[in-house]
Amino acid sequence: MDFHIENILNDLKKDDFQAYLLTQFTNIEYISNYKPTSFAFCILKEEPIIYASKMDMEIANKNSTIDVREYESFDVLIGDLKKEGIKSLAIEPELAFSTYEKFRDDFSIESKTYVNTQRMIKDSQEIDNIQKATEIAQRSFLELDILNRNDFESVVAFDLVKSMIENGASRESFDTIVTSGANSSLPHAVPKHKSLEQPILIDWGAIYNGYCSDNTRTMVYTEFQHEIWDIVAEAHDKAIKAIKPGLKCCEVDKVARDIISEYGYGDKFIHSTGHSLGLDIHETPGFSARDETVIEKGMVITVEPGIYLEGEFGVRLEDTVSIDKRASVIGDLPLSI
């Protein structure tokens, strides 16, 4: 049995639960190597089982390391659990309320983050996949030759995604952000059908073997833009240097936030310093003021401080680090292009 499942079964036993219900696609993929295309119910217990839709049975039987049964109905699924004497059920926090309603009358239910806890620590193969995804994304960015482009933001974004797929990505890991001019002050700006302005901010990533990458670069032009860029770069670099096992995630966020605040732009840094990634682009833990998770070896987390001047422009610089004795940046794309 997979050691992740064994760990979760130990957690269940410790917390006095008899089974754990998973429906989130990437959690099921993480546990079983099968990623649903429509819906599935994974029940982790002494003999784990996945109830897959009829349209997924072929791919589930081909890929899943857990036994698979065709889903018939909620009544059959619940009946199977009750026949086994299961009365207490742990669920993912992400479980849809409509699904929770189907189970709540028959089981004692509590939300638990057992799989999320397992996913926090990446093994060498997972890190290799993230490394490959990052290499694909960074190579594609350099091929974009952004400093010599005079296209619409939306066209540049399309070309970047196309290049990532041509270089081996299955797809982009999130909606690619190509934004410029005043719109760069919007952290999650959507590429517009307008010509590139200055500065240019690009936030992009690739998926390789199911694993995500994430980088951001900002190309600045005026003296003031360079001044803001230098502050963000200092926060980025010093935060990465501070990362080590035993430190709390919130302490890394504080390093970056304190530097930006010292320059008078603390209120312009309007998001957390970073987030974990893996099969999903946003995982736990993250470098935020509220996250007191203790950093451990094997974590993979982004570092992405930014300053956003409303109506003027924004600067964000982002790299992903893998953590051993210290933090090592994944990929080799320079901050300044």
Side-chain angles (χ1 to χ4, degrees):
M1 184 180 291
D2 179 271
F3 76 93
H4 294 303
I5 296 178
E6 289 182 356
N7 290 341
I8 290 169
L9 292 180
N10 287 333
D11 288 336
L12 286 170
K13 188 174 182 180
K14 183 178 64 178
D15 293 341
D16 202 23
F17 288 101
Q18 295 167 292
Y20 190 32
L21 171 65
L22 307 177
T23 60
Q24 187 185 349
F25 286 5
T26 48
N27 277 347
I28 294 175
E29 180 183 16
Y30 182 78
I31 288 298
S32 72
N33 198 46
Y34 149 60
K35 186 173 184 178
T37 68
S38 54
F39 70 87
F41 300 93
C42 177
I43 312 293
L44 295 183
K45 50 193 178 63
E46 288 303 324
E47 295 183 0
I49 186 78
I50 292 176
Y51 292 81
S53 68
K54 189 178 185 67
M55 64 186 295
D56 260 13
M57 284 302 291
E58 181 178 351
I59 189 172
N61 282 323
K62 179 181 178 182
N63 293 335
S64 179
T65 56
I66 293 175
D67 287 342
V68 178
R69 187 176 302 168
E70 185 178 326
Y71 172 82
E72 297 177 58
S73 68
F74 274 112
D75 287 342
V76 170
L77 192 162
I78 290 171
D80 287 346
L81 295 178
K82 292 171 76 173
K83 284 175 190 173
E84 291 186 43
I86 292 173
K87 298 179 179 179
S88 58
L89 192 63
I91 61 171
E92 306 162 308
E94 300 86 357
L95 188 75
F97 184 73
S98 58
T99 304
Y100 162 74
E101 286 184 306
K102 303 286 188 181
F103 290 90
R104 65 179 178 181
D105 291 337
D106 295 287
F107 305 97
S108 170
I109 294 178
E110 191 173 331
S111 170
K112 293 292 182 179
T113 59
Y114 298 137
V115 177
N116 292 340
T117 299
Q118 293 296 308
R119 287 175 62 174
M120 289 196 312
I121 308 300
K122 271 63 179 179
D123 62 29
S124 59
Q125 185 175 0
E126 290 180 290
I127 293 173
D128 285 346
N129 284 329
I130 296 169
Q131 173 84 36
K132 181 64 175 176
T134 304
E135 290 171 356
I136 289 169
Q138 293 186 356
R139 185 185 319 126
S140 302
F141 175 78
L142 293 174
E143 291 174 357
L144 194 65
D145 194 19
I146 187 64
L147 297 180
N148 292 312
R149 295 291 293 260
N150 190 27
D151 291 305
F152 293 140
E153 293 174 354
S154 54
V155 172
V156 174
F158 175 87
D159 287 347
L160 181 51
V161 175
K162 180 173 179 287
S163 181
M164 288 192 289
I165 292 171
E166 289 173 343
N167 281 319
S170 57
R171 63 184 190 278
E172 58 187 336
S173 54
F174 53 91
D175 290 340
T176 298
I177 297 172
V178 175
T179 186
S180 61
N183 279 353
S184 62
S185 70
L186 304 172
H188 287 163
V190 176
K192 301 292 185 182
H193 194 64
K194 72 176 183 68
S195 296
L196 289 171
E197 299 171 345
Q198 298 176 351
I200 303 168
L201 187 153
I202 300 183
D203 188 346
W204 80 107
I207 291 182
Y208 178 80
N209 274 355
Y211 283 81
C212 301
S213 74
D214 197 356
N215 283 109
T216 305
R217 292 294 183 266
T218 307
M219 282 58 70
V220 294
Y221 295 83
T222 69
E223 183 178 348
F224 183 40
Q225 290 170 7
H226 275 284
E227 178 184 317
I228 298 300
W229 189 98
D230 286 342
I231 296 169
V232 174
E234 181 180 342
H236 167 280
D237 292 349
K238 289 184 177 177
I240 291 174
K241 287 180 181 177
I243 298 168
K244 61 181 179 180
L247 208 64
K248 291 182 179 179
C249 286
C250 56
E251 293 176 292
V252 176
D253 179 85
K254 187 175 187 303
V255 170
R257 204 164 299 280
D258 283 353
I259 290 167
I260 290 175
S261 295
E262 285 169 9
Y263 286 98
Y265 294 101
D267 62 335
K268 306 301 182 184
F269 182 12
I270 54 179
H271 54 70
S272 63
T273 298
H275 57 88
S276 293
L277 52 72
L279 290 170
D280 288 310
I281 191 61
H282 289 107
E283 298 185 3
T284 55
F287 294 137
S288 77
R290 294 182 298 275
D291 195 328
E292 297 197 355
T293 303
V294 176
I295 297 168
E296 297 181 52
K297 292 181 180 180
M299 289 182 173
V300 177
I301 310 179
T302 69
V303 175
E304 51 177 306
I307 293 175
Y308 306 91
L309 306 178
E310 185 176 347
E312 295 184 65
F313 66 91
V315 173
R316 180 167 68 255
L317 298 171
E318 176 184 19
D319 282 298
T320 302
V321 301
S322 62
I323 299 165
D324 190 24
K325 292 180 180 178
R326 306 293 297 186
S328 300
V329 173
I330 296 177
D332 59 2
L333 186 68
L335 284 182
S336 182
I337 305 301

